[in-house]
Amino acid sequence: MHTHSSVSDGTETPAELMRAAKEAGIGTVALTDHDSTAGWDAATAAARAEQITLIPGMEFSTRVDYSSVHLLAYLFDPTDVGIVTEITRIRAARLTRAEQMVQRIAFDYAITWDDVLAQTTLDATVGRPHIADALVARGHALTRSDAFAGILHWKSGYYQPHYAPDPLRAVELVRAAGGVPVIAHPATRGAADVIPEARLARLAQAGLFGLELEHRENRPEATAHLAVLAEKYGLFITGSSDYHGTGKPNRLGENTTTPEVLERIIDQGRGSAPRYA
Ligand code: AMP
Ligand code: ZN
Ligand code: FE
Ligand code: FE
């Protein structure tokens, strides 16, 4: 229920990703590129050819102060004006932000903006992973993860945030576009920094469907705490790999969502239909 293609920062095209899902023995897969639905058509054709079901989705960038909060959105209308306006703005801000980060990095390491562009496909949602790939290509880091642990870390001094809406607004936009919103990897920080209960209550009231508690980057105590809150506020629990091809160690199918929860998502999704095999 959470994968990335070359439309954002995954290393495989949407069609290659559908073939990889088939090979991994997965029957239903969601494509959730960052702030873009540009991969939906190619993924639909490939999923049909591979006889697997595709849930069209997106990972919506949102932000609270300096922390980014990722919102998975499923089965929304990709032509909805509210969503299109917001993701157009986010993608533009991501581009400016990446360029500014590269300018700062270039004071200390040989790297140019063209190096980064060489790592992206046309109109891709640009992020730190593309800068990481450029750093690897220049020999300044061994892998993407190595770049994230060093030069691209938020504490490195080169980091800069980008514009993104508040999660509450994003939840409202997704529901207004007929979609189903789930907070991605909500427990990656320590229990103390986890989404506060009052905020979660407001998000639930605005239509939040669930929490992606089964994800390799969630921390155990924070996850346990959120599981209690999910129960209290009637939120569903999902699990997914957050696959990025060779860009991250996460493997397809390492976490999965139960058929019962998937059925609820499909029931509530009114903006787009699942692409059945
Ligand atoms: P950004 O949104 O541009 O700040 O970059 C965050 C993206 O980088 C997310 O999609 C993450 O999945 C990805 N990412 C974070 N850490 C790593 C890592 N260690 N290796 C590869 N990708 C990562
Ligand atoms: Zn990503
Ligand atoms: Fe994410
Ligand atoms: Fe992701």
Side-chain angles (χ1 to χ4, degrees):
M1 293 303 283
H2 184 168
T3 68
H4 297 270
S5 76
S6 52
V7 161
S8 60
D9 53 7
T11 57
E12 293 162 344
T13 64
E16 287 165 349
L17 177 51
M18 293 304 113
R19 284 195 283 279
K22 174 73 174 196
E23 270 168 39
I26 288 165
T28 300
V29 64
L31 176 69
T32 56
D33 277 305
H34 299 281
D35 310 310
S36 176
T37 61
W40 287 15
D41 288 348
T44 299
R48 290 202 168 123
E50 298 296 335
Q51 294 280 296
I52 60 175
T53 298
L54 169 71
I55 303 293
M58 183 177 84
E59 190 172 10
F60 203 157
S61 299
T62 82
R63 184 176 151 185
V64 178
D65 301 325
Y66 283 87
S67 305
S68 70
V69 175
H70 287 174
L71 188 73
L72 294 163
Y74 301 112
L75 300 168
F76 59 94
D77 173 3
T79 68
D80 178 85
V81 174
I83 299 250
V84 170
T85 304
E86 202 56 58
I87 63 180
T88 303
R89 186 172 171 195
I90 297 169
R91 283 206 306 273
R94 280 176 158 284
L95 209 54
T96 312
R97 169 262 200 160
E99 224 174 325
Q100 287 169 346
M101 281 185 66
V102 169
Q103 277 174 16
R104 287 191 203 164
I105 296 168
F107 279 112
D108 299 323
Y109 299 90
I111 184 174
T112 66
W113 181 237
D114 279 342
D115 292 340
V116 177
L117 290 181
Q119 302 296 333
T120 72
T121 60
L122 192 67
D123 296 328
T125 302
V126 175
R128 279 181 289 163
H130 303 101
I131 305 176
D133 291 346
L135 289 166
V136 171
R138 282 277 193 169
H140 303 311
L142 291 171
T143 59
R144 269 191 188 183
S145 292
D146 184 34
F148 267 88
I151 300 170
L152 298 175
H153 195 274
W154 64 272
K155 286 184 194 159
S156 69
Y158 304 113
Y159 181 81
Q160 186 174 314
H162 60 78
Y163 165 78
D166 183 272
L168 185 63
R169 176 166 160 71
V171 165
E172 288 167 352
L173 281 171
V174 171
R175 281 295 186 181
V180 182
V182 172
I183 300 182
H185 43 74
T188 51
R189 282 171 272 263
D193 302 316
V194 99
I195 306 162
E197 180 167 355
R199 183 180 294 278
L200 198 65
R202 279 200 301 279
L203 292 172
Q205 198 168 17
L208 183 66
F209 173 84
L211 300 177
E212 186 192 49
L213 291 187
E214 286 165 40
H215 182 291
R216 68 156 71 202
E217 283 153 50
N218 283 333
R219 297 200 199 170
E221 297 105 271
T223 303
H225 172 68
L226 284 175
V228 172
L229 294 182
E231 176 83 34
K232 182 168 171 186
Y233 293 102
L235 299 170
F236 291 93
I237 289 167
T238 69
S240 27
S241 68
D242 201 357
Y243 178 72
H244 283 69
T246 57
K248 266 188 136 179
N250 311 30
R251 294 299 89 198
L252 277 169
E254 66 178 29
N255 288 296
T256 54
T257 296
T258 65
E260 293 73 27
V261 172
L262 173 62
E263 211 169 291
R264 298 280 192 137
I265 292 172
I266 292 171
D267 275 353
Q268 294 188 19
R270 310 206 176 289
S272 293
R275 275 55 162 169
Y276 290 110

